[in-house]
Amino acid sequence: MYYIGISAYYHESSVFLTDNQGTNCFLKEESFSRIKGDKNFPQRCLKFLIKKFNLNNENIYFISFYEKPFKSWWEIFYYSINNPIKNKNFLIHHLKNFNSGSIFFYTDINKLINISKKKIIYSSHHLSHCLYGISVVKNISEYVHITCDGVGEGETMSIHTIDNKFKIKKIWANFYPNSIGLFYSTITDFLGFEINEGEFKVMSLSSFGKPKYEKQLKQIFNINNFKINMDYFEFQKNLSKSFSKKLCEVFGEPYLNLNEEANFKKYADIASSAQLILEETMENLIKKAIQISGKKKIVLTGGVALNCKMIHNLSKLDIFDELVVPPSPGDSGSAIGAANFAYLNKTKNKTLNLNTIFLGPKKELINDKKNKDNLFLKIISTENFIGDAAHKIINGEIIASYYGLTEVGPRSLGNTSIFCDAKNSSSVNNLNISLKKREYFQPLAPILLEEDFKKYFSINQNIKKNLEWMGTLCDANEELYKEYSSIIHVDGTCRTQIIKDENSITYKLLKELKKQGSEILVNTSFNISKDPVVFDLFDVYVNMRRLNIKFVLMDDGFYQTRDI
C-alpha cells in the first residue's frame, strides 16, 4: 500500500511515493519534460509510477497535495483586491490562472488514475515543508521547526513544534507581503539573474563585496519585526519585474553588465548588503523560535534555507545547539512532506524517517540494457574499473558519474555528477568555465571522505550534518591552500560534501583517488547550463557529447560513448 505526495503548479513539480517498507521513489517533472524547473502538474512522473508500481485505487492509501489550493489562491487574490487599481494587471492574470491552477488538482489526478475522492487529502504549505524536515532527524520532539520562503498560503515564515505524541502545533507565523524570501528574490531580479534560479549567484557574488547599502536596505526590510516597505517592490502587481522605481533611486540602473569592473564592484556590494539583511533577519527569527519554543535544536526548511552561506555564518553566532537543513528544503522537497502528511493521517502516531539523500528511482527502473549497449562501450582494462576511473581523473580527465539512486534536492551529490581532480587547477577551470559555463565568480564544490575532512576544512559542529548533502559552507584550512587553492572561494570558504557510506561508488572512487595521490574531487551537477540534471541514459549520452566528456562511471563499469 502506497502513500504519494505531490508538489506542483508553482515551482519545481515533484512526486514522492513510499510504502514505508523500503520502497521510495522521488521524481521531478523536469526530469521527463527536460524543462528546467518545470512547474506543471507532474503527469509524466505519475505515468512513470503508475506503470512501474501498477498503481490503482486499491493499492494507494492516500494521495496528498502539499498545500490547500483554494487558500493558496485566495490569500494572494485577497491582498490584490485591496488595491485593485494599482494591481490591475496582476489581478487579471491571477483570475485567468484560476482554471489552470492547483484548485483542479483532483481533476488532473483523475485523468491519469481512477481514485476515490476520499483518498485525496491536502496538507498545508508550510506544514509540508515542516513534515519533510522532520523526516531527516531523530528525536523530532527535541527540535523547533522553522520554515522561511517566498510565500505559501499567505505565510512567509512559520514556527512549528511537535511533541512525543506526534501532535504538531504552529506557534507563530508571518504573512505576505512581508517576506525576506521575496526581498532576496527582488535583489536577484534587480541584478539581472532569474528569480528562483539565480539566488545562489547573488550569494556567491556577495563574497566579493562589502555591505555598503546596509543602512538603506534596513529601511526597506525591517530585520526585527520582519516587515517590508512595499514602496520599493512590485512583485505584488507587476508580471515582468519585482522592483519599483524607488529601488532604482537607491541602487541606480538595474541589469548592468557584470563584466565591467565598476559594475561588478557595485553589484557585489548590493549582493553583500542583501546577504547581510538575510542573515540578520534569520538570526532574529531563530532567536524568536528558541524563545517561544524553549528548544535550541533547529530544523530549517523553505527556499531561503538553500542559502548555505547564511547557514555557515549563523553557526558562528552560538545561538543554537544544532541546525539541520534537509537536502531539498524548497517546494520540490515538499512532495516528501506531503507524503509524510498522508502517512501520519493513516498511522496517527508515526512519521516517515527518511534519513538519506538518495530517494530517486533505481537506474534499472529508468533504463534497459539494450540502450546502454547501443550508446556506450564498456572499457575493459582491469576488474578494478573504479581504479581505472581514478587514474583517468588523476591524469586530468573530467568524467561523469551515473550510478545508484538519484539524489533528492537541487545539488548533485555524487550519483549524477561531473568530477575532476581538485588538485588540477587547469581541469577545475575547464570544468567551471568551458564545460559548465558558470559565472566566473561562482566557486565549485569539493567532495571528499569524512576521514579527511578535518585535515582541510573547519566547521562548527552545530551544522556538521549538513555536510552530507552540501548544505553549508565551511572554512578552508591552511593545508587546503597548499595544493587545492583553485576550489577556495574569495572569502576563504568552500561548499563541501563529505562521503560516509563505505558501500557507495563515490566512497570507493575517493579511496582509489587517495591511493593515486589526491584526496579531493570537484563535484558539479551532471547537466548543461540551464538544463535539468540527467535522468536516463539518453540524457547521459547527449550531455556527454555536448560537453565533450569522454568517460562515465556507472554501477557495473567504466564506459565511454559510442559514435552513433
Side-chain angles (χ1 to χ4, degrees):
M1 297 292 290
Y2 298 109
Y3 306 89
I4 298 171
I6 297 177
S7 170
Y9 303 105
Y10 298 107
H11 296 299
E12 292 177 322
S13 290
S14 57
V15 180
F16 179 64
L17 173 146
T18 183
D19 62 0
N20 195 39
Q21 301 294 321
T23 300
N24 297 306
C25 193
F26 177 82
L27 297 165
K28 292 182 181 179
E29 188 70 0
E30 68 173 24
S31 297
F32 297 91
S33 68
R34 309 310 297 163
I35 300 170
K36 180 74 170 175
D38 193 339
K39 64 181 182 180
N40 291 302
F41 177 76
Q43 59 172 318
R44 296 174 181 86
C45 294
L46 286 165
K47 286 178 179 177
F48 177 92
L49 293 172
I50 290 167
K51 181 179 179 181
K52 296 298 181 182
F53 296 97
N54 191 28
L55 297 180
N56 55 65
N57 189 63
E58 283 66 44
N59 64 8
I60 295 173
Y61 271 126
F62 290 116
I63 296 178
S64 174
F65 192 59
Y66 83 122
E67 66 178 16
K68 300 182 187 301
F70 185 78
K71 182 174 174 58
S72 180
W73 183 89
W74 171 256
E75 291 293 342
I76 304 300
F77 177 76
Y78 181 77
Y79 180 84
S80 298
I81 60 174
N82 284 326
N83 295 285
I85 304 301
K86 291 182 179 179
N87 304 336
K88 179 183 175 183
N89 291 336
F90 184 88
L91 193 58
I92 292 171
H93 175 78
H94 199 59
L95 284 166
K96 284 182 176 177
N97 277 349
F98 182 87
N99 289 332
S100 59
S102 59
I103 288 171
F104 292 90
F105 173 71
Y106 178 67
T107 302
D108 288 336
I109 284 283
N110 247 2
K111 291 175 183 177
L112 298 176
I113 184 168
N114 185 18
I115 189 164
S116 167
K117 203 166 186 177
K118 293 179 181 179
K119 293 189 173 186
I120 304 295
I121 59 176
Y122 299 88
S123 181
S124 62
H125 189 101
H126 277 203
L127 180 60
S128 293
H129 279 301
C130 171
L131 285 170
Y132 170 47
I134 67 174
S135 73
V136 302
V137 295
K138 297 178 180 178
N139 304 317
I140 56 180
S141 63
E142 296 178 4
Y143 292 81
V144 58
H145 309 273
I146 301 173
T147 297
C148 185
D149 58 9
V151 60
E153 295 177 16
E155 294 179 342
T156 59
M157 298 172 171
S158 65
I159 301 172
H160 290 81
T161 57
I162 181 168
D163 62 22
N164 290 321
K165 296 180 180 179
F166 297 90
K167 183 179 179 181
I168 300 171
K169 183 179 180 181
K170 181 165 62 180
I171 56 177
W172 180 85
N174 196 42
F175 297 94
Y176 181 88
N178 300 302
S179 170
I180 189 64
L182 292 177
F183 163 85
Y184 202 86
S185 291
T186 298
I187 300 299
T188 301
D189 184 17
F190 182 89
L191 297 179
F193 304 124
E194 187 178 350
I195 290 176
N196 295 325
E197 287 291 331
E199 283 81 0
F200 71 98
K201 294 182 181 181
V202 179
M203 179 183 69
S204 298
L205 183 61
S206 70
S207 297
F208 290 84
K210 302 292 183 183
K212 293 183 178 180
Y213 298 92
E214 175 187 359
K215 185 176 179 180
Q216 294 95 318
L217 287 182
K218 283 183 176 176
Q219 299 299 313
I220 296 171
F221 191 92
N222 190 315
I223 66 170
N224 297 306
N225 64 14
F226 316 125
K227 301 294 184 183
I228 198 168
N229 186 337
M230 288 305 295
D231 292 342
Y232 296 86
F233 301 90
E234 292 193 354
F235 56 72
Q236 83 287 8
K237 61 182 179 180
N238 195 323
L239 299 173
S240 59
K241 66 182 179 72
S242 54
F243 54 89
S244 70
K245 291 180 180 179
K246 197 161 184 178
L247 192 67
C248 296
E249 292 173 7
V250 177
F251 293 143
E253 288 295 314
Y255 311 136
L256 297 178
N257 183 356
L258 276 176
N259 290 318
E260 295 181 16
E261 186 176 347
N263 294 345
F264 181 84
K265 185 178 184 306
K266 177 181 177 180
Y267 270 25
D269 289 341
I270 294 172
S272 177
S273 304
Q275 181 70 24
L276 179 65
I277 298 301
L278 172 67
E279 291 176 10
E280 291 188 352
T281 298
M282 293 306 297
E283 176 187 352
N284 288 335
L285 179 58
I286 288 172
K287 286 178 177 177
K288 185 178 187 71
I290 292 171
Q291 179 187 8
I292 61 179
S293 71
K295 302 174 190 292
K296 295 192 73 174
K297 290 184 177 182
I298 314 290
V299 175
L300 179 62
T301 55
V304 170
L306 284 166
N307 192 300
C308 53
K309 181 177 181 179
M310 174 189 76
I311 305 304
H312 173 247
N313 288 338
L314 287 173
S315 74
K316 298 183 176 183
L317 300 177
D318 195 31
I319 58 175
F320 49 77
D321 293 339
E322 184 183 17
L323 189 151
V324 178
V325 177
S328 184
D331 279 8
S332 177
S334 290
I336 302 173
N340 204 1
F341 179 76
Y343 183 65
L344 185 59
N345 261 266
K346 177 65 179 176
T347 63
K348 305 303 180 186
N349 60 358
K350 291 182 182 178
T351 59
L352 297 172
N353 189 333
L354 301 166
N355 192 17
T356 176
I357 54 179
F358 301 106
L359 291 170
K362 296 178 181 179
K363 296 296 186 287
E364 56 263 34
L365 281 178
I366 306 170
N367 305 295
D368 59 56
K369 188 177 184 303
K370 183 179 178 181
N371 288 334
K372 183 183 284 190
D373 293 341
N374 288 339
L375 297 171
F376 302 94
L377 176 67
K378 183 181 284 191
I379 300 170
I380 302 173
S381 53
T382 70
E383 290 184 2
N384 182 16
F385 65 89
I386 298 176
D388 295 340
H391 181 71
K392 291 284 187 185
I393 292 170
I394 285 290
N395 284 282
E397 198 74 49
I398 296 171
I399 75 161
S401 68
Y402 183 73
Y403 47 70
L405 304 176
T406 306
E407 299 92 331
V408 170
R411 294 159 182 152
S412 287
L413 300 170
N415 288 13
T416 46
S417 293
I418 301 173
F419 295 134
C420 75
D421 180 8
K423 192 179 284 189
N424 189 323
S425 58
S426 177
S427 294
V428 173
N429 187 64
N430 185 28
L431 175 57
N432 198 24
I433 305 300
S434 301
L435 270 69
K436 291 303 297 283
K437 304 190 186 303
R438 289 156 55 92
E439 304 284 358
Y440 60 91
F441 54 82
Q442 290 180 251
L444 281 165
I447 183 171
L448 76 167
L449 298 172
E450 184 183 30
E451 64 194 49
D452 297 320
F453 177 80
K454 289 183 179 179
K455 179 179 177 181
Y456 297 106
F457 301 99
S458 299
I459 195 171
N460 281 21
Q461 293 300 302
N462 56 10
I463 57 168
K464 185 179 178 182
K465 184 175 180 64
N466 301 289
L467 289 172
E468 297 174 34
W469 45 76
M470 212 188 292
T472 182
L473 303 183
C474 51
D475 295 308
N477 291 345
E478 184 178 344
E479 191 69 24
L480 194 71
Y481 281 90
K482 293 179 181 179
E483 294 186 281
Y484 300 98
S485 60
S486 62
I487 62 171
I488 304 172
H489 201 32
V490 66
D491 60 3
T493 65
C494 296
R495 192 181 72 189
T496 306
Q497 182 192 354
I498 58 171
I499 300 297
K500 299 168 64 174
D501 181 7
E502 296 182 9
N503 295 315
S504 72
I505 293 181
T506 307
Y507 182 95
K508 295 171 183 176
L509 177 64
L510 284 163
K511 274 289 190 183
E512 289 291 338
L513 193 78
K514 193 172 179 178
K515 292 177 186 177
Q516 299 184 36
S518 184
E519 294 179 331
I520 304 176
L521 286 170
V522 164
N523 171 27
T524 188
S525 57
F526 189 0
N527 65 323
I528 296 164
S529 179
K530 297 184 179 180
D531 281 359
V533 171
V534 299
F535 182 65
D536 61 23
L537 286 169
F538 295 104
D539 297 334
V540 173
Y541 184 85
V542 169
N543 276 264
M544 287 179 67
R545 299 294 282 198
R546 290 176 66 188
L547 291 166
N548 196 28
I549 295 174
K550 298 177 183 177
F551 304 103
V552 57
L553 185 59
M554 299 193 193
D555 289 283
D556 61 344
F558 193 41
Y559 291 80
Q560 67 182 49
T561 56
R562 291 183 184 271
D563 291 325
I564 58 173

